[in-house]
Amino acid sequence: MYGNDFSAPDDAPGGGLLGEVEAAEAALREAAARARRGGPAPGEDLAAYFTEVIDADQKIEPRDWMPEAYRKTLIRQIAQHAHSEIIGMQPEGNWISRAPSLKRKAILLAKVQDEAGHGLYLYAAAETLGISRDELVELLLGGRQKYSSIFNYPTLTWADVGAIGWLVDGAAIVNQVPLCRCSYGPYARAMIRVCKEESFHQRQGYEILHTLAHGTPGQKAMAQDAIDRWWYPSLAMFGPPDGDSTHSAQSMAWKIKRFSNDELRQRFVDMCVQQAEILGLTLPDPDLRWNDERQAYDYTQPDYDELMQVIKGNGPCNRQRMEHRRAAHAEGAWVREAAAAYAAKRAEQKEKVAA
Amino acid sequence: MSERSERPGQLGAGNPSPLWEVFVRARRGLSHTHVGSLHAPDAELALRNARDLYTRRQEGVSIWVVPAGAITASSPDEKDAFFDPAADKVYRHPTFYEVPDGVAHL
């Protein structure tokens, strides 16, 4: 449906974004089958070999040689992606105890459990680059690595849970589907797994909003209010405009990123307009209209100064999120110690029996 | 998620929660496939966490967890020499042998 990067996405099983994920998975298997020649010959230029692998659309694997900057940028990106999944449990977790029905509550619990899982897949992928999860968690807690700006916004009503599913997870999917074809194998494989699950999140969010929008006037107003508040922060999730994006050019050359921030943002807007129509709700942008020439929607850009403020730590909930994460880590220390002591004791007993 | 056995210190003292590699078998008759890795203090917890993490959607019926430190991986540098499929040993393939016309069930 979107993008020239995907082979026959219309015919792909599932269609739409899920179809693209499956196409990416198929391409991954294909690339594996299309065996490239073995490792670099002794004395061969490693950088040239690396470029050759990337150009051939093959995957870089953990023990392959890679430029130090490639390794560093991947660690940064994957780790911050992992942190986002973990911090992202908070805004939705805020509504678990107050979900309006048992069914909604069970679904929300499953969703938040998925987010934890996504965090773990991603930490595992980052670890293949030679850094430990404990180090990454320290970087997060020390404020030296970021997480997605979006999770610094508060969830004020139940409808926000729907808006997060539809808009925030929707934006995440649009961003992550091309990452299923990222040149780094472990990241690409993690993204395939994540996207399949993320699709459930997006659809359940859409369903929440659809139910509210077709409920009482009060419910509909609540749904509209949530969209009004989440629309621009969701657009900002794609990052600064192409002109100001520091890492973009190099990441595209290395095939870590496949599309620019603005391209993905446009793709997201084009998707949402039609979906909002079916909800019977409006996107809060008076200048949103179809541009026949561009075959895309014109829209108002999000406030990038606000984005920069949020990234710097001055968003509405930055402090609360970090305090909560730090408290959980500190207060859980004795539990981790207990588990380690128990494991050590068990290992000792086993040794004695074996002796 | 794999090929990381060279990294020291994943198991043992000082690391309260070592790394485990997880293998899941989707159905009876298939083999276990590597699906990812996780941290856990011991094998029992690794198994439980793997159940929660990697089999939430009927992905499998059997799980193996292996301490990452127990795995030794081949190095990509030796790919050619190490995995040389022995092009000079074509007689390993059944198609190498000529079957006389008219032979059945061979």
Side-chain angles (χ1 to χ4, degrees):
Chain A
M1 186 155 55
Y2 297 101
N4 47 18
D5 197 29
F6 307 113
S7 53
D10 289 338
D11 307 329
L17 291 166
L18 256 188
E20 287 179 19
V21 174
E22 281 178 36
E25 196 176 11
L28 192 120
R29 273 195 233 105
E30 230 170 71
R34 201 171 63 229
R36 67 179 196 239
R37 65 185 176 91
E44 188 183 346
D45 181 4
L46 289 171
Y49 174 75
F50 173 83
T51 312
E52 189 188 306
V53 172
I54 299 266
D55 288 346
D57 266 331
Q58 299 282 333
K59 301 294 172 205
I60 301 293
E61 294 298 335
R63 292 190 62 186
D64 287 333
W65 181 89
M66 60 188 87
E68 207 38 44
Y70 178 85
R71 184 189 301 277
K72 284 223 170 94
T73 204
L74 272 172
I75 288 178
R76 179 183 52 79
Q77 182 173 341
I78 300 174
Q80 298 191 164
H81 198 158
H83 299 329
S84 303
E85 299 284 358
I86 299 302
I87 298 288
M89 295 162 77
Q90 290 185 41
E92 289 177 291
N94 188 33
W95 279 90
I96 290 176
S97 63
R98 295 177 286 170
S101 72
L102 195 52
K103 181 184 126 187
R104 296 286 180 204
K105 186 176 187 157
I107 292 172
L108 188 56
L109 272 169
K111 184 182 171 187
V112 173
Q113 187 193 25
D114 278 0
E115 309 288 5
H118 296 175
L120 296 188
Y121 305 155
L122 286 159
Y123 280 128
E127 286 194 291
T128 63
L129 291 157
I131 190 161
S132 75
R133 187 179 75 180
D134 292 341
E135 287 172 82
L136 295 174
V137 170
E138 285 306 318
L139 287 170
L140 171 70
L141 296 180
R144 283 155 59 214
Q145 275 187 340
K146 314 272 185 214
Y147 54 87
S148 177
S149 56
I150 195 81
F151 301 119
N152 293 310
Y153 290 88
T155 39
L156 304 178
T157 69
W158 167 249
D160 285 27
V161 174
I164 288 182
W166 177 43
L167 294 174
V168 174
D169 294 320
I173 292 186
V174 168
N175 219 347
Q176 289 168 0
V177 162
L179 291 175
C180 294
R181 290 169 184 264
C182 163
S183 61
Y184 188 58
Y187 194 26
R189 290 191 287 272
M191 288 327 302
I192 287 172
R193 192 187 292 274
V194 167
C195 281
K196 286 182 181 174
E197 297 176 1
E198 207 73 59
S199 197
F200 137 52
H201 302 174
Q202 186 194 20
R203 289 178 192 195
Q204 71 95 21
Y206 192 78
E207 194 207 58
I208 288 175
L209 291 178
H210 194 265
T211 305
L212 291 174
H214 293 81
T216 65
Q219 287 173 323
K220 184 167 182 178
M222 183 167 74
Q224 183 61 57
D225 167 65
I227 292 178
D228 291 349
R229 283 181 290 109
W230 288 92
W231 173 246
Y232 282 113
S234 301
L235 288 190
M237 280 174 73
F238 293 94
D242 293 350
D244 306 341
S245 182
T246 28
H247 305 288
S248 278
Q250 184 58 74
S251 288
M252 303 243 314
W254 278 329
K255 294 191 183 172
I256 295 172
K257 275 180 90 155
R258 297 309 196 105
F259 300 97
S260 77
N261 294 352
D262 287 335
E263 278 175 290
L264 292 172
R265 191 168 8 243
Q266 180 73 57
R267 194 180 289 190
F268 177 66
V269 171
D270 292 349
M271 278 173 45
C272 286
V273 172
Q274 191 258 353
Q275 292 170 358
E277 271 166 23
I278 293 182
L279 286 178
L281 299 169
T282 49
L283 299 173
D285 181 356
D287 295 328
L288 185 72
R289 59 179 57 87
W290 179 251
N291 182 328
D292 214 34
E293 229 167 85
R294 292 199 307 122
Q295 286 295 301
Y297 282 91
D298 289 336
Y299 63 97
T300 310
Q301 294 290 317
D303 180 350
Y304 292 113
D305 292 336
E306 177 183 316
L307 173 65
M308 285 307 139
Q309 281 303 317
V310 176
I311 290 176
K312 272 186 207 148
N314 302 323
C317 299
N318 294 59
R319 272 196 201 179
Q320 186 190 336
R321 302 289 184 238
M322 285 307 296
E323 258 166 35
H324 187 83
R325 184 69 194 80
R326 286 195 188 109
H329 192 72
E331 286 160 18
W334 72 270
V335 179
R336 293 193 296 277
E337 280 162 28
Y342 180 71
K345 194 173 100 186
R346 293 276 303 266
E348 211 173 278
Q349 280 170 347
K350 240 184 215 169
E351 252 169 48
K352 263 187 210 152
V353 173
Chain B
M1 294 205 190
S2 63
E3 302 189 60
R4 137 177 61 185
S5 59
E6 277 187 350
R7 289 188 47 213
Q10 286 293 359
L11 248 192
N15 190 346
S17 214
L19 190 68
W20 302 75
E21 298 296 339
V22 182
F23 299 79
V24 171
R25 193 183 66 210
R27 278 188 301 281
R28 293 214 168 273
L30 294 182
S31 55
H32 284 76
T33 308
H34 182 246
V35 292
S37 47
L38 51 80
H39 287 275
D42 61 29
E44 281 77 16
L45 273 176
L47 205 56
R48 255 169 201 278
N49 291 346
R51 191 268 318 267
D52 291 346
L53 187 56
Y54 291 110
T55 63
R56 293 196 299 278
R57 292 178 177 80
Q58 301 178 334
E59 285 93 340
V61 296
S62 166
I63 304 175
W64 291 345
V65 292
V66 182
I71 294 175
T72 306
S74 62
S75 151
D77 305 340
E78 58 199 19
K79 232 181 224 168
D80 274 340
F82 206 70
F83 297 108
D84 186 349
D88 59 334
K89 296 191 179 73
V90 283
Y91 47 81
R92 280 183 170 152
H93 300 276
T95 46
F96 172 77
Y97 300 94
E98 263 177 49
V99 178
D101 289 344
V103 179
H105 311 298
L106 190 69

